[in-house]
Amino acid sequence: MALKLYGLPMSTCTARVLICLAEKEVDYELIPVNLFTDDHKQPAFLAKNPFGQIPVLQDADLTLFESRAITSYVAEKYKGSGSDLIRHADIKEAALVKVWMEVESQQFNLPISTITYQYLISPMLGKPTDHQLVEDNVAKLEKVLDVYEQRLTHAKYLAGDFFSLADLHHMSYIHYFLKTPKASLITDRPHVKDWWEDISARPAFTKISANMKYDF
Amino acid sequence: MVVKVYGPAYASPKRVILCLIEKQIDFETVPLDVLNGEHKSPDYLKLQPFGVVPVTIDGDYKLFESRAIIRYYSEKYKSQGTDLLGKTIEERGLVEQWLEVEAHNFHPHINNLVLHLLFSPLLGFPRDDKVVEESEKGLSKVLDVYEERLAKSNYLAGDFFSLADLSHIPFSSYLFNIGKEHLIRDRKHVSEWWDRISSRPSWKKALELS
């Protein structure tokens, strides 16, 4: 039975899972959740994820939410198919994948998502961009990207010389972030820029990012 | 080789220490004076470029990010001590799910509460009562979901203690230092879960290492 993914192709967290499924060459069915009619706050969806957030994965009788948990599950379950995203044959490399997955989750995600929201989502909701909030988060993101720049002078990818979930988890936000006036934070750092050009040229990402647009 | 854990007095390193004790792995601790900024010193930044605790050093193998470290040691010593990852890929998926809930839904709120109510006087920045109020509200909502979940199973990922539960212990225990224990005690199943996980010998031992 094919995996069912509840979400939206344009959503950063849904896209994180879609890129992973494409890298793993796993079949799935995408079931759209209409956020504009609050489908994700209705009892049927809350029964799948009590926090009312997309995406949710349904694999037979297993229901999973949290995009980074879903990618870990998919990468482990289908470790024999598509790209190896977790370095399952080498426990020390696997741990470095987890370190940089956590860096994304704990250091990178909050500033980049805040800035992106302020520039791309707030205007759509008829709210002005909060420039003070943007600047505070630019300062935070710069510090994080300085560490990345340093790291990527020593290794081709974040966890080492191999593409992994650690890199993949960054992609959906960087894709949108590059459409904001702060894009130079990525493009002015030579190793970060090379890294982005390399990972964003992967066929799985090209395929999924074609549907990552905020236009209604 | 004995694993070295930096910053044992603080909550994120305690996540690692709890895991090492549960897995019966030998370790030693390296104190770090975070209140005086030792975690931002050049020597420490060489170990941890983001300047946060913890770091572990195991021979010449260095790791940071507490939730990555606990996954590594739980996998490396799978058959030793307490199994913290679940027995099947499906159970592991649920452990990962609740670890992510801890990191993204639970942690930001409790971290704000602890920062503003416990650490603001120590670190010398003003307490923001609006942040405290919003964080308490946010944490309450998250714990309402936990209450419902824990009515159906003894632990977050199912009927087994795992990293998902363990990861909550150090920061939750601060609620009792900042007068916010009602967030746990007012919820029957959350309260019973808290007693179950905080009465483990590993937590008692971790507290002695402060």
Side-chain angles (χ1 to χ4, degrees):
Chain A
M1 191 161 67
L3 301 175
K4 282 184 187 160
L5 187 70
Y6 294 81
L8 285 177
M10 72 173 72
S11 132
T12 47
C13 294
T14 304
R16 189 174 287 127
V17 175
L18 290 173
I19 300 163
C20 174
L21 289 165
E23 286 281 355
K24 299 306 292 177
E25 299 164 15
V26 175
D27 283 340
Y28 61 91
E29 180 190 351
L30 181 67
I31 300 165
V33 179
N34 192 340
L35 303 186
F36 300 97
T37 54
D38 270 353
D39 280 8
H40 58 311
K41 304 293 178 194
Q42 303 306 316
F45 188 81
L46 290 173
K48 299 186 199 309
N49 179 356
F51 295 101
Q53 294 160 335
I54 54 170
V56 170
L57 181 82
Q58 188 94 50
D59 182 7
D61 55 5
L62 177 71
T63 308
L64 277 185
F65 48 87
E66 286 291 331
S67 62
R68 297 169 185 85
I70 299 173
T71 58
S72 296
Y73 171 75
V74 168
E76 176 72 30
K77 179 165 179 179
Y78 300 97
K79 59 185 171 199
S81 137
S83 319
D84 175 11
L85 299 174
I86 50 173
R87 306 303 281 182
H88 62 267
D90 183 325
I91 190 169
K92 287 193 170 179
E93 285 181 354
L96 291 173
V97 173
K98 294 188 185 89
V99 166
W100 289 94
M101 282 163 70
E102 286 299 316
V103 168
E104 183 278 324
S105 154
Q106 296 297 316
Q107 310 282 344
F108 176 86
N109 179 64
L110 189 59
I112 199 166
S113 61
T114 305
I115 298 166
T116 307
Y117 186 94
Q118 285 301 318
Y119 280 118
L120 302 184
I121 311 283
S122 282
M124 263 181 1
L125 302 174
K127 289 185 208 157
T129 298
D130 180 338
H131 291 286
Q132 185 56 49
L133 187 62
V134 167
E135 290 315 317
D136 291 350
N137 282 283
V138 164
K140 285 182 193 161
L141 187 58
E142 278 180 328
K143 279 192 186 167
V144 174
L145 289 173
D146 284 344
V147 176
Y148 281 33
E149 179 66 12
Q150 192 69 25
R151 170 73 186 161
L152 292 165
T153 59
H154 303 299
K156 196 162 178 224
Y157 301 96
L158 288 171
D161 284 324
F162 46 85
F163 177 78
S164 71
L165 277 188
D167 308 292
L168 188 153
H169 281 184
H170 290 77
M171 301 183 76
S172 52
Y173 264 111
I174 296 179
H175 170 79
Y176 286 119
F177 182 78
L178 291 174
K179 301 181 194 308
T180 75
K182 301 294 177 188
S184 61
L185 264 61
I186 300 285
T187 53
D188 282 355
R189 287 175 170 77
H191 293 93
V192 172
K193 180 171 180 270
D194 287 350
W195 165 74
W196 172 251
E197 283 172 359
D198 180 292
I199 63 177
S200 61
R202 297 177 67 86
F205 183 72
T206 314
K207 182 180 151 200
I208 300 304
S209 64
N211 294 316
M212 291 171 68
K213 293 181 196 127
Y214 277 116
D215 45 9
F216 308 106
Chain B
M1 192 67 73
V2 176
V3 182
K4 279 187 198 166
V5 186
Y6 284 70
Y10 300 94
S12 299
K14 280 203 185 335
R15 222 178 250 132
V16 172
I17 287 170
L18 260 175
C19 170
L20 294 173
I21 297 171
E22 289 282 352
K23 298 305 292 178
Q24 301 169 3
I25 298 166
D26 285 342
F27 65 93
E28 55 189 49
T29 57
V30 183
L32 208 64
D33 190 354
V34 169
L35 296 179
N36 285 310
E38 200 182 344
H39 59 310
K40 303 292 180 191
S41 69
D43 280 348
Y44 187 74
L45 288 174
K46 271 184 217 151
L47 296 177
Q48 212 301 1
F50 299 98
V52 291
V53 289
V55 167
T56 57
I57 297 187
D58 190 350
D60 58 2
Y61 189 64
K62 182 196 78 177
L63 288 176
F64 49 82
E65 283 294 339
S66 61
R67 297 174 188 85
I69 299 170
I70 60 179
R71 285 170 167 111
Y72 169 69
Y73 282 105
S74 302
E75 242 161 52
K76 183 169 179 188
Y77 297 94
K78 213 168 213 161
S79 52
Q80 179 179 317
T82 314
D83 175 16
L84 298 170
L85 295 173
K87 290 188 175 56
T88 60
I89 291 181
E90 288 73 21
E91 284 184 356
R92 174 73 195 260
L94 291 168
V95 171
E96 288 293 334
Q97 170 185 286
W98 288 99
L99 268 168
E100 290 298 321
V101 169
E102 185 275 324
H104 290 278
N105 297 61
F106 178 88
H107 185 74
H109 299 304
I110 199 164
N111 191 48
N112 276 340
L113 287 177
V114 170
L115 206 58
H116 284 271
L117 294 175
L118 192 64
F119 283 101
S120 66
L122 302 172
L123 294 169
F125 69 88
R127 186 176 87 193
D128 186 333
D129 287 328
K130 195 165 166 253
V131 171
V132 170
E133 194 190 316
E134 281 171 5
S135 302
E136 180 163 352
K137 235 185 255 170
L139 189 57
S140 290
K141 276 192 189 166
V142 172
L143 289 173
D144 286 343
V145 175
Y146 282 34
E147 178 67 6
E148 212 171 302
R149 169 71 190 166
L150 292 163
K152 293 178 206 138
S153 61
N154 274 341
Y155 298 97
L156 288 170
D159 280 321
F160 57 96
F161 177 75
S162 74
L163 286 185
D165 309 292
L166 180 151
S167 196
H168 286 80
I169 296 176
F171 274 91
S172 299
S173 84
Y174 279 139
L175 294 175
F176 293 82
N177 305 117
I178 58 174
K180 297 291 179 194
E181 63 264 37
H182 59 270
L183 290 169
I184 290 181
R185 291 306 180 205
D186 289 353
R187 292 174 173 84
K188 180 175 182 283
H189 297 102
V190 172
S191 183
E192 287 170 3
W193 167 73
W194 172 251
D195 288 339
R196 214 173 284 136
I197 62 177
S198 63
S199 63
R200 297 180 72 84
S202 57
W203 179 236
K204 298 212 169 95
K205 208 172 153 197
L207 284 176
E208 287 163 13
L209 290 170
S210 297

